[in-house]
């Protein structure tokens, strides 16, 4: 087996776009799509293919604008309250309701208020009118042949109404681009097939991968105005991919192959695109998304997007989105931008344009951007992201606290109403996010898991509104209070109790190794999985080990660190470790056995100015809400008796 | 016929909302809708009805993160480039590709780059690895039972992907509220019926009104997450409306009746709602939209929206939108706001909250808001509006130049790229809007028709980028130049020629009265329709009348003013007048006969700083574009030979 070449090229982003454009222009691969005429009721969001000129005036007749009598204005001259004028009902003195056509020969309306009925044929009016008073003349709103909606306009509900008013029941719009999405990979299995198999008791096997990229790409194509077709996954065989592309070309405007875009032995995407047309670019100096392919197949734009979901989404946004807009004759709108401060150092490779997803929250007036995992395979970074920070080529990255311009992925209002929690992870916080959402108060909880110490440091840097903490003071046996005093001496902090929770061993079902005490961790062949330094669980373990006089170096796996309770549980479930220290809920969730050892106090540390803020009002309310309390208790291993109690209010030390 | 009472009540907006809320709460008329489980591929934009917890970890097995050989890390100790280590392929030394499951007993991957194949069973490695190096451990991205998406979240494409990755092919979402839209009015005719009749040569009659409100309301309901049903128009008979409501209540969550919400003799909406439930509010002190009805029918929210389109849209936004959001458990997002300067005085009645639609454009750094027609029936004000200005109750309005906060109806970026034209109207400008759109340069032309003088005044106030002008200097016979010098002495103005156009009489087809010269206007029985003072056409007329020694007071209808060429043409077409002065294109458009009298020069007056700006670059380009030139010539009555010529550059006078 020889060394493989992974990327055929390493083109700068701008250069890649220019090359792709040139190839499209040369091969005619991009042009406005043809049009179709559809009923107005189906035309919302579609784009006009031609200007719409009014076929009818609105109103299309002179209409009474008041209830009253239609008259010739000249016939009312001199009428006043003190000397009313008597008129005889007839062809030019006629009762009308608002909207009625003005009878021939009339040119004004005397309001009903100014008319007194004398008898069946005679009325008296106590006010004169001038020509066209209380009349909506023909064409007052729209004159036939007037421009109603220009070409290339995205139709809104009011446009549909105006087009109907101007005399049409249909409208001619640009056809939506049809996009074929072809997943490739022998290991891929559709979500539907996986669900069916699991329902039949046949779980998905190691090495099989759920094909979910096409679901994301199809949704994005829809958002960008296209009509996606998700094709079934094509196994890694050149002739099968060739057949799939040939078939897709027959009735689509754009081809998207995902993935096979690397240059490995089973990566046929580039060669198939070349067979049907040409490859303009293979490999762009961006991160993630390096091995993207841009080309033309059968005279149509063709893309090979990388297989990792974050790479697939980013390259679709960079290259597919502007193309779909152009096919529809639209200018792509830019995402709204904001200035934020990066909460931690971000190193970036010099040679690449890097796009880093971040979460955002406004803390003490500053918009704080916290980078999410930069792994191209981490789909949760896509769903948790609030914005994207672009680290340009030839930049080495950002230092902590640096100002950075970010592109917003959520409405600004949603970001402004985000409560930022940084600290120790707890399932009760996950639940809280859902309950806050349900209050309708419009609060969102964004929670980053960096351990209890990390949370206190985030409060110190003013990067968060609150921190979940469970830090044992090894001298006093008291939780959290002394740590807050020591690490946040200048802050006035409210410590609110969330729950008491059990800590214990997470072991395989039935506890096959019979682990009962900390001393059992030093037994030969027992593989432990630890939590990271700074986490409350780690502090608890180290304290208890010292109390028991056990040397950590005697524990196999003590150095293997995971960042959440669930990651520890997963390590035990998979057999990668035999035991970890964690909470009951994590064991319960993955069907492990839980051996309770200790109880610990999990509090929220909240600077008083945040605790008393409007932003956190719904959270204060939730901590005394029976429904939430019961939901936490139902997780197992939680004692919620003291939920919502103020444990302590730490005054800032005098300076 | 006695005086009618139009509004049963006159409640303040806040009070109306409170009363409506209280009625809904008391009658159970608002609650979260039930849920339904649907395929992920159909779930974009839907709202989760429950939290989604991961059913599967991602990855669901320990996966190789590189191509290479999977090994036990301990077995690689000591391997370096200078002293490679030889390993025998077997159960714990296995070739793997990225994504392959790690074979049992292995815990790290040596990258292919660091492996040398010695023979079929032996390899040499030149680097040691540590446990879990180049491995994506089970649950690295998602751990089974972890929260993926909270309840009440609007699903985006990436959420669908994450839910699929976490083990599902379906998702449980809230049902979309079903909204029945019932148009009422004997005079209503659907756009489809009108189109069918006109295709059959039977035009819509005076007094018949095209029912287009339901098309707008249905589109808005869709935008707000509901499923609309547009019912056929119900004639003004109480028993028919009763039957329609009864039927609609059977399978809808919300009832919208449009209109019959006044208190006139044929307005049954309030009494029918009261029959099925109760009316909470009838009449709110807002403008437009005063006669709105808020109530409950059959235990469901029921609305009577006013019949004029602007009133219907405003009341739907104020009252229906928040309700639909609540039924879906969503917080209504507020529209983005901006600070603008109002371009002209705006009087507002003290007793009402008024909502005025405005156009926006950024001129010389200031966002300028220009009020549109405030007629509740003017549907074009809905389509032209860029924002809404709210004039609160107990305010008398705004003086020209006052600062006002507006709610944006278009993306800020679109507003920033708007070219603001204020001045004389010309069809060539309408065409220009479409051509600018088509360039893809993202420019929008917003054009307000206030006549040539009005345009120069707008430039003086810095409310516009350009003004269309055709002002004849009565002394020199020259167009525009002397006016620019006189009225804009402090500005450096570029005058660009757009077209020479014919001015003449617009008369009924065949010119039945045989009108040939200005003197014919003074003939007995000839009814003239004039343009407003300040318009170029009016200046031309007055000049020519003086030249011909004709006294304007001898012309019947000289005092009747219309604001556009097309309005003049419409007056002639309808028979309300016999003749007007205007351009050939207007006559052509409405099938009138045109009697050419004069030729005039139509120029664009543009301050040099705008003329040379990026914003106007696509417009500069368009003036030399053959396609646009030909389209203007095709309108008829235009000489485009000199289009795009710089007529004059007026220097600012020295101070």
């Amino acid at each position: 087996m020889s060394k493989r070449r992974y990327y055929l090229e390493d083109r700068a982003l701008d250069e890649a776009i220019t090359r792709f454009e040139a190839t499209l222009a040369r091969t005619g691969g991009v042009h406005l799509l043809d049009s179709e005429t559809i009923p107005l009721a189906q035309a919302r969001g579609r784009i006009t293919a031609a200007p719409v000129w009014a076929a009818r005036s609105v109103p299309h007749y002179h209409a009474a604008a008041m209830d009253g009598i239609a008259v010739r204005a000249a016939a009312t001259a001199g009428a006043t309250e003190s000397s009313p004028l008597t008129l005889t009902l007839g062809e030019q003195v006629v009762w009308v309701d608002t909207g009625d056509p003005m009878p021939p020969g009339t040119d004004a309306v005397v309001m009903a208020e100014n008319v007194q009925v004398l008898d069946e044929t005679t009325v008296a009016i106590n006010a004169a009118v001038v020509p066209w008073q209380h009349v909506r003349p023909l064409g007052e709103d729209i004159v036939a042949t007037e421009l109603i909606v220009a070409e290339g306009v995205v139709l809104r509900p009011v446009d549909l109404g105006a087009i109907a008013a101007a005399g049409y029941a249909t409208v001619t719009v640009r056809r939506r681009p049809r996009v074929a999405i072809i997943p490739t990979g022998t290991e891929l299995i559709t979500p539907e097939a996986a669900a069916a198999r699991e329902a039949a008791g046949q779980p998905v096997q190691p090495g099989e991968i759920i094909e979910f990229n096409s679901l994301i790409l199809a949704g994005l194509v829809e958002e960008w105005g296209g009509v996606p077709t998700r094709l079934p996954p094509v196994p890694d065989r050149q002739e099968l991919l060739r057949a799939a592309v040939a078939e897709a070309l027959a009735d689509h405007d754009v081809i998207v192959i995902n993935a096979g875009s690397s240059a490995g032995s089973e990566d046929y995407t580039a060669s198939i695109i070349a067979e049907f047309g040409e490859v303009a670019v293979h490999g762009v100096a961006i991160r993630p998304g390096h091995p993207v392919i841009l080309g033309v197949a059968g005279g149509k734009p063709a893309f090979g997007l990388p297989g990792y979901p974050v790479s697939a989404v980013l390259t679709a946004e960079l290259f597919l989105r502007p193309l779909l807009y152009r096919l529809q004759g639209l200018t792509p709108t830019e995402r709204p931008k904001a200035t934020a401060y990066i909460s931690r150092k971000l190193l970036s490779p010099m040679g690449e344009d890097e796009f880093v997803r971040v979460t955002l929250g406004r803390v003490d007036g500053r918009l704080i951007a916290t980078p999410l995992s930069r792994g191209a395979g981490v789909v949760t970074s896509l769903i948790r992201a609030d914005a994207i920070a672009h680290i340009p080529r030839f930049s080495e990255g950002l230092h902590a606290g640096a100002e950075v311009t970010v592109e917003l992925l959520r409405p600004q209002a949603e970001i402004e109403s985000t409560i930022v929690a940084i600290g120790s992870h707890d399932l009760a916080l996950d639940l809280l996010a859902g309950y806050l959402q349900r209050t309708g108060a419009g609060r969102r909880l964004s929670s980053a898991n960096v351990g209890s110490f990390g949370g206190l440091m985030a409060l110190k840097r003013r990067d968060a509104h609150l921190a979940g903490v469970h830090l044992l003071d090894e001298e006093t046996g008291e939780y959290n209070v002394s740590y807050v005093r020591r690490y946040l001496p200048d802050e006035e902090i409210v410590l609110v109790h969330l729950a008491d929770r059990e800590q214990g061993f997470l072991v395989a079902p039935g506890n096959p190794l019979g682990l009962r005490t900390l001393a059992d961790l030093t037994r030969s062949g027992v593989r432990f999985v630890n939590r990271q330094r700074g986490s409350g669980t780690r502090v608890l373990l180290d304290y208890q080990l010292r109390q028991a006089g056990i040397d950590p170096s005697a524990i196999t796996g003590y150095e293997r660190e995971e960042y959440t309770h669930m990651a520890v549980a997963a390590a035990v479930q998979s057999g990668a470790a035999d035991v970890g220290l964690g909470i009951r809920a994590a064991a319960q969730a993955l069907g492990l056995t839980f051996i309770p050892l200790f109880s610990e106090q999990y509090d929220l540390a909240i600077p008083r100015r945040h605790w008393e803020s409007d932003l956190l009002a719904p959270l204060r309310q939730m901590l005394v809400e029976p429904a939430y309390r019961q939901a936490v208790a139902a997780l197992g291993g939680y004692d919620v008796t003291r939920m919502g109690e103020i444990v302590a209010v730490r005054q800032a030390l005098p300076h």
Side-chain angles (χ1 to χ4, degrees), chain A:
Chain A
M1 186 154 193
S2 66
K3 185 172 167 181
R4 291 172 180 174
R5 192 153 67 108
Y6 275 85
Y7 311 122
L8 294 180
E9 300 170 320
D10 194 31
R11 295 196 184 275
L13 180 53
D14 287 354
E15 189 203 336
I17 291 171
T18 307
R19 272 186 74 91
F20 184 38
E21 295 284 339
T23 305
L24 288 172
R26 184 160 39 73
T27 58
V30 67
H31 50 80
L32 263 189
L33 295 179
D34 45 339
S35 63
E36 57 187 347
T37 299
I38 60 172
L40 283 175
Q42 295 162 23
R44 188 176 66 87
R46 299 298 296 271
I47 299 152
T48 48
V52 180
W53 308 93
R56 184 191 293 130
S57 298
V58 179
H60 58 281
Y61 56 93
H62 296 313
M66 284 290 205
D67 294 1
I69 55 168
V71 294
R72 272 193 88 80
T76 66
T80 64
E81 283 208 48
S82 53
S83 68
L85 195 69
T86 302
L87 297 174
T88 306
L89 293 172
E91 276 187 10
Q92 291 184 5
V93 181
V94 186
W95 282 109
V96 287
D97 279 341
T98 304
D100 282 350
M102 295 292 289
T106 64
D107 64 2
V109 173
V110 181
M111 286 195 294
E113 284 87 327
N114 297 325
V115 181
Q116 197 194 348
V117 178
L118 301 179
D119 58 43
E120 286 204 357
T121 57
T122 325
V123 295
I125 60 169
N126 60 20
V129 285
V130 298
W132 305 103
Q133 195 168 349
H134 304 316
V135 174
R136 273 190 91 201
L138 185 159
E140 184 194 51
D141 186 359
I142 297 173
V143 177
T145 78
E146 192 178 320
L147 180 72
I148 301 299
V149 179
E151 181 187 339
V153 168
V154 181
L155 291 167
R156 303 160 302 167
V158 291
D159 298 319
L160 303 181
I163 293 172
Y168 301 95
T170 59
V171 61
T172 300
V173 295
R174 295 193 183 134
R175 191 163 61 69
R176 297 169 65 192
R178 290 190 286 258
V179 181
I181 301 166
I182 309 175
T184 69
T186 307
E187 71 287 3
L188 297 182
I189 171 170
T190 66
E192 294 77 14
R197 284 219 335 231
E198 293 197 334
Q202 299 166 328
V204 172
Q205 296 301 306
E208 291 184 323
I209 294 176
I210 307 292
E211 196 291 293
F212 58 83
N213 281 0
S214 70
L215 204 53
I216 302 182
L217 293 171
L220 292 173
V221 164
E222 278 177 8
E223 285 190 350
W224 301 334
V227 181
T229 309
R230 284 170 66 207
L231 291 160
V234 178
D236 287 319
R237 282 168 50 197
Q238 198 155 0
E239 70 278 15
L240 294 180
L241 183 56
R242 182 181 299 123
V245 170
E247 199 182 319
L249 278 171
D251 52 0
H252 292 87
D253 306 300
V254 179
I255 305 295
V256 174
I257 304 173
N258 180 235
S261 69
S262 297
S265 56
E266 293 178 351
D267 294 332
Y268 305 117
T269 300
S271 60
I272 292 288
I273 290 177
E275 269 183 37
F276 283 95
E278 70 179 273
V279 170
V281 176
H282 188 181
V284 181
I286 51 174
R287 180 186 174 131
H290 201 136
V292 66
I293 299 165
L294 311 174
V296 176
K300 294 166 178 177
F303 298 84
L305 303 186
Y308 276 128
V310 185
S311 309
V313 167
L314 181 75
T315 51
E317 284 169 345
L318 286 176
F319 305 111
L320 177 58
R321 178 171 179 266
L323 183 107
L324 291 185
Y325 275 70
R326 273 176 61 189
L327 289 175
Q328 300 170 81
L330 293 178
T331 314
T333 49
E334 291 194 359
R335 294 200 184 102
K337 293 191 169 71
T339 300
Y341 299 87
I342 201 96
S343 68
R344 51 176 199 254
K345 190 176 173 178
L346 197 63
L347 288 177
S348 183
M350 283 279 286
E352 290 178 330
D353 277 284
E354 182 166 13
F355 298 86
V356 181
R357 284 172 198 262
V358 300
T359 61
L360 290 179
R362 189 170 295 281
V363 184
D364 289 318
R366 292 192 321 156
L367 201 58
I368 304 295
T370 301
L372 287 159
S373 162
R374 289 148 87 187
V378 180
V379 68
T380 46
S381 75
L382 289 174
I383 60 173
R384 293 187 56 209
D386 298 328
I388 295 182
H390 176 192
I391 316 294
R393 214 180 179 198
F394 309 126
S395 156
E396 291 184 288
L398 298 166
H399 59 85
E403 213 177 275
V404 61
T405 300
V406 295
E407 287 187 22
L408 300 182
L409 299 170
R410 295 184 198 274
Q412 180 94 31
E414 213 171 295
I415 288 160
E416 298 293 341
S417 61
T418 297
I419 301 171
V420 181
I422 300 185
S424 171
H425 177 247
D426 191 87
L427 288 174
L429 273 185
D430 282 354
L431 269 185
L432 187 59
Y435 273 81
L436 276 177
Q437 178 79 42
R438 216 180 299 179
T439 61
R443 295 295 186 282
R444 204 167 63 96
L445 185 75
S446 157
S447 135
N449 309 321
V450 299
S452 296
F453 271 115
L456 294 183
M457 292 305 103
L459 291 184
K460 195 180 186 74
R461 290 192 311 270
R462 309 200 154 197
D463 286 351
H465 297 113
L466 63 91
V469 287
H470 53 117
L471 290 165
L472 174 65
D473 185 324
E474 305 180 19
E475 286 167 24
T476 65
E478 199 184 39
Y479 271 86
N480 301 327
V481 178
S482 63
Y483 287 86
V484 166
R485 186 188 308 136
R486 196 179 321 148
Y487 292 100
L488 295 165
D490 301 328
E491 292 276 8
E492 198 173 351
I493 299 283
V494 179
L495 268 173
V496 194
H497 188 58
L498 190 64
D500 289 301
R501 58 183 196 183
E502 294 171 326
Q503 286 265 14
F505 284 159
L506 314 182
V507 293
N511 192 11
L513 300 183
L515 305 169
R516 299 279 164 215
T517 67
L518 289 181
D520 292 337
L521 297 181
T522 60
R523 275 168 33 194
S524 167
V526 171
R527 294 162 308 152
F528 182 67
V529 54
N530 209 347
R531 286 293 304 284
Q532 85 280 16
R533 238 161 301 184
S535 69
T537 301
R538 176 68 169 267
V539 172
L540 178 66
L541 174 72
D542 291 346
Y543 170 70
Q544 297 287 356
L545 288 175
R546 261 194 304 281
Q547 296 284 325
I550 297 169
D551 179 1
S553 71
I555 301 173
T556 307
Y558 178 86
E559 72 290 341
R560 179 179 171 185
E561 296 184 347
E562 293 287 357
Y563 277 74
T564 66
H565 291 286
M566 294 303 264
V568 167
V572 173
Q573 189 200 31
S574 72
D578 299 312
V579 58
L581 189 64
I583 57 176
R584 182 188 289 270
Q588 214 164 25
L590 294 199
L592 303 177
T593 290
F594 182 73
I595 311 295
L597 294 173
F598 322 111
S599 170
E600 66 166 6
Q601 181 174 330
Y602 186 91
D603 298 332
L604 303 178
I606 313 181
R608 183 197 277 275
R609 66 186 181 285
H610 297 321
W611 173 247
E612 290 171 352
S613 68
D614 270 359
L615 183 73
L616 266 69
L619 182 141
R620 291 196 302 273
Q621 178 56 35
M622 205 46 64
L623 294 179
V624 294
E625 177 70 40
Y628 173 58
R629 187 179 292 236
Q630 286 155 23
V632 174
L635 289 171
Y638 286 89
D639 179 348
V640 294
T641 322
R642 298 193 298 133
M643 180 184 285
E645 268 182 26
I646 306 292
V647 174
V649 179
R650 295 306 319 169
Q651 303 298 331
L653 289 182
H655 284 273

